[in-house]
Amino acid sequence: LLPSGNVLVAGGIGGSTGLLASAEVYHPTSGTWTTTRSLGTARYSHTATLLPNGKVLVAGGSNTNSNLASAELYDPASGTWTATGTLGTARQYHTASLLPNGKVLVAGGVGDSSYLTSAELYDPATRLWTATGSLGTARAVHTATLLPSGQVLVAAGYDNSYLGSAELYDPASGTWRTTGSLIIAREAQTATLLPNGKLLV
């Protein structure tokens, strides 16, 4: 969701066209779609995060042949993409969370040969990625939710088996700690922050 109220859709896999680099913008007021500039690199299973400056950070993913470490910034004002800092670890099926300090936390996912515990921070000011504390459990296809406390709750996912565990990331210390496990292990779930501060999975 862009600051204008329009919605950006970028990349993915098309049923007949295969891997996509194309991008489109949806206009709710008219109910119409318009094309915008294409990504520099076609990708799927990536993340897209709206930054405080109004630009969109697309990170990681896959191009069907390999996982990607590249990242791109979309500028709604010009409708263009520019390459930005490269992730330390190529990954797909990870999560990306905008932190209160304006940085973006990328956690877990699938690497070239294994599920990942690693996590990285993107700084929009420098356009660079730096490593931060690693997850206690490798996981992909999980959820990550920014809580009112400023911490990020990562829950469930997959690591050669379905996971029920959950962890909390503290931006102040850059560390993770385990928290209560889900009753039923799962992957590819939804996670919704409720008005009372609780999280519904």
Side-chain angles (χ1 to χ4, degrees):
L1 180 65
L2 302 175
S4 63
N6 296 332
V7 179
L8 172 70
V9 171
I13 298 178
S16 60
T17 54
L19 189 64
L20 300 173
S22 61
E24 304 180 45
V25 174
Y26 177 72
H27 307 270
T29 53
S30 61
T32 58
W33 294 86
T34 56
T35 57
T36 187
R37 297 283 182 86
S38 295
L39 288 154
T41 301
R43 65 185 76 215
Y44 72 97
S45 301
H46 50 282
T47 54
T49 309
L50 179 65
L51 303 178
N53 61 11
K55 295 182 179 181
V56 177
L57 172 70
V58 162
S62 175
N63 63 3
T64 70
N65 294 320
S66 62
N67 295 322
L68 300 173
S70 63
E72 306 181 43
L73 285 173
Y74 177 75
D75 185 348
S78 62
T80 57
W81 296 88
T82 56
T84 189
T86 301
L87 287 152
T89 301
R91 65 185 76 215
Q92 64 170 319
Y93 295 119
H94 52 282
T95 54
S97 308
L98 179 64
L99 303 177
N101 62 10
K103 295 182 179 181
V104 178
L105 170 70
V106 162
V110 179
D112 288 334
S113 60
S114 64
Y115 292 89
L116 300 173
T117 60
S118 64
E120 307 183 42
L121 290 171
Y122 177 79
D123 187 344
T126 62
R127 296 191 173 188
L128 297 176
W129 295 88
T130 56
T132 188
S134 294
L135 290 153
T137 300
R139 66 184 77 224
V141 204
H142 50 282
T143 54
T145 308
L146 179 66
L147 302 178
S149 64
Q151 295 181 317
V152 177
L153 175 67
V154 160
Y158 191 82
D159 174 19
N160 294 312
S161 62
Y162 298 112
L163 300 173
S165 62
E167 306 182 44
L168 283 169
Y169 177 78
D170 183 355
S173 63
T175 58
W176 298 86
R177 65 177 175 86
T178 57
T179 187
S181 295
L182 286 87
I183 297 170
I184 299 174
R186 65 191 73 207
E187 67 161 331
Q189 73 275 7
T190 59
T192 305
L193 186 65
L194 304 178
N196 63 5
K198 295 184 178 181
L199 184 71
L200 173 66
V201 167

